[in-house]
Amino acid sequence: MTVQRDPERLQTIVIGGGQAGLAVGYHLARHGLPFVILDANERVGDSWRKRWDSLRLFTPAQFDALPGMRVPAPNHAFITKDEMADYLETYAQRFALPVRTGTRVDRLSRDESGFVVTAGDRTLHAEQVIVAMSNYQQPRVPEFARDLAPDIVQVHAIDYRNPGQLQDGGVLIVGAGNSGAEIAIEVAREHPTWLSGRSTGQLPFRIDGRAARLGLVRFVLRVLFHRVLTLRSPLGRRFRAKLAGHGGPLIRLKGEDLAAAGIMRVPRVSGVQEGRPRLEDGRVLDVANVIWCTGFHPGFSWIDLPVLQDGRPAHDEGIVPSEPGLYFVGLEFLSAASSVMIHGVGRDAARIADAVAARARSRAPVSAEEPALAAA
């Protein structure tokens, strides 16, 4: 017999317990607002723990902190993905953020009383909802991948952990962005490796070099990405359009690093011929493994509200005018090039928390007979 639980009523629900959700929680708590954070993972930080084993963050530790707590590492260190995961877990504990792990949201809708969040057999009602998730939710693989021969090992970057998952023979990595380049460097130590895709460009300096430490990295991350390339500037809007089509520049690696590792750069994969990947120039590669570093679909189909355009939320720097009380944080270029980066998400989180607080004050009851909704 299934026991029907009574709907839980909350003032604010944050969906997503990664860096975006925790940063939002920090600022909501500073406003003294009641809220909960719902996260599908079993443990805070698991979204980082589940990434490939050798991953290190692309930015120095001094730019990896959330508001209110520094990363416990030297400023110029590049911390591991597990160190980042542990930092997020400690952050949630330090600020006593009300994270409910193991709570996967299946549907977000609205009724006459406000927003309705469905998570398994639980139903929660809220006055305001913040979706604190990136655009990178569902792995994207071209349809012709199914036509590759069954003896080829295929893995998407989200499921790649280490070269032990691969079989002997050549490896084709499809997608030449940061993830593809970093994985290629690792795989090339043990396998002939091809990297397919257009160049996304690269930073004009070594992010771990002396010039970077003397100020270049701060200029790029805190001035260029954070203050110049914004939605409020024509330059920023042009950069966003380019980013959507080609991905961001390589941050840690250079083209010469790939060449020195013996990685062969090839054009985009256009299809399959006799079970093998065919390139745009007509060549067919006889490889034993394919790693798809081809990005993600937004993955917001569970939002049952008229706020999506081609699967992506329509918003004004995270605020959804068509659905008052609904917000987004953590999206690529939410307000600036830094929005999807750890050092940039805190600014977006603060702005959205301010909007939530202002709306909560405007809707506050005027008498004791009309109590405000509070978090359990």
Side-chain angles (χ1 to χ4, degrees), residues 28-39:
L28 291 176
R30 289 184 61 130
H31 280 290
L33 296 174
F35 67 96
V36 296
I37 301 173
L38 308 180
D39 190 66

Side-chain angles (χ1 to χ4, degrees), residues 138-151:
Q138 295 179 349
R140 181 174 58 202
V141 174
E143 290 187 9
F144 58 72
R146 69 185 70 171
D147 298 325
L148 288 173
D151 62 341

Side-chain angles (χ1 to χ4, degrees), residues 269-290:
V269 177
S270 61
V272 175
Q273 183 173 324
E274 297 181 351
R276 301 299 173 195
R278 184 185 67 246
L279 305 178
E280 280 185 332
D281 62 5
R283 280 183 290 168
V284 177
L285 297 182
D286 186 13
V287 294
N289 309 272
V290 174

Side-chain angles (χ1 to χ4, degrees), residues 45-366:
D46 273 355
S47 59
W48 283 96
R49 293 187 186 92
K50 294 176 181 177
R51 303 185 72 180
W52 74 86
D53 295 346
S54 64
L55 174 63
R56 289 181 174 271
L57 273 67
F58 299 130
T59 50
Q62 63 181 314
F63 302 105
D64 298 335
L66 295 181
M69 178 177 160
R70 68 180 301 274
V71 173
N75 282 346
H76 301 290
F78 293 85
I79 64 174
T80 68
K81 51 102 178 180
D82 290 326
E83 289 172 329
M84 186 64 204
D86 292 344
Y87 166 79
L88 294 180
E89 189 170 45
T90 302
Y91 186 90
Q93 293 168 352
R94 175 172 175 178
F95 296 109
L97 300 179
V99 183
R100 299 184 186 178
T101 55
T103 306
R104 180 177 296 277
V105 173
D106 304 309
R107 185 170 181 254
L108 170 62
S109 58
R110 183 192 276 278
D111 65 13
E112 63 280 358
S113 66
F115 294 102
V116 181
V117 175
T118 305
D121 63 348
R122 300 295 302 272
T123 301
L124 303 90
H125 290 251
E127 292 181 356
Q128 305 195 74
V129 171
I130 305 167
V131 180
M133 302 167 66
S134 71
N135 304 65
Y136 317 130
Q137 300 301 318
Q138 295 179 349
R140 181 174 58 202
V141 174
E143 290 187 9
F144 58 72
R146 69 185 70 171
D147 298 325
L148 288 173
D151 62 341
I152 293 179
V153 170
Q154 298 188 59
V155 60
H156 190 275
I158 197 171
D159 297 313
Y160 173 78
R161 297 294 176 268
N162 56 62
Q165 295 169 274
L166 307 177
Q167 60 185 341
D168 292 341
V171 180
L172 170 63
I173 296 175
V174 184
N178 281 288
S179 295
E182 295 270 342
I183 292 174
I185 287 286
E186 177 175 80
V187 168
R189 300 186 188 114
E190 302 178 20
H191 300 263
T193 302
W194 290 263
L195 180 61
S196 165
R198 298 191 185 100
S199 171
T200 60
Q202 60 190 30
L203 292 186
F205 60 90
R206 291 282 178 183
I207 198 166
D208 54 354
R210 186 169 183 269
R213 295 189 180 200
L214 291 176
L216 268 180
V217 67
R218 177 171 292 277
F219 171 77
V220 169
L221 296 181
R222 297 297 295 179
V223 178
L224 186 62
F225 283 9
H226 203 57
R227 304 190 183 281
V228 176
L229 298 177
T230 75
L231 290 180
R232 302 186 183 190
S233 74
L235 182 62
R237 292 191 292 272
R238 288 197 297 271
F239 183 80
R240 181 183 64 165
K242 181 179 179 181
L243 191 67
H246 301 285
L250 297 183
I251 295 177
R252 183 162 42 224
L253 294 174
K254 306 290 182 195
E256 55 263 36
D257 299 325
L258 302 174
I263 297 165
M264 293 162 276
R265 301 295 299 269
V266 294
R268 295 177 63 186
V269 177
S270 61
V272 175
Q273 183 173 324
E274 297 181 351
R276 301 299 173 195
R278 184 185 67 246
L279 305 178
E280 280 185 332
D281 62 5
R283 280 183 290 168
V284 177
L285 297 182
D286 186 13
V287 294
N289 309 272
V290 174
I291 302 176
W292 299 104
C293 297
T294 42
F296 297 82
H297 296 292
F300 291 125
S301 60
W302 51 271
I303 299 179
D304 190 10
L305 295 167
V307 299
L308 302 179
Q309 297 178 355
D310 297 325
R312 300 178 182 276
H315 62 89
D316 181 7
E317 295 190 350
I319 298 172
V320 183
S322 64
E323 289 287 344
L326 178 62
Y327 313 88
F328 288 86
V329 177
L331 299 181
E332 183 179 55
F333 227 111
L334 187 86
S335 65
S338 64
S339 289
V340 77
M341 301 176 178
I342 298 168
H343 80 94
V345 76
R347 180 176 66 177
D348 289 333
R351 188 183 66 257
I352 295 303
D354 288 346
V356 170
R359 189 166 189 271
R361 287 193 298 267
S362 71
R363 295 167 58 86
V366 297

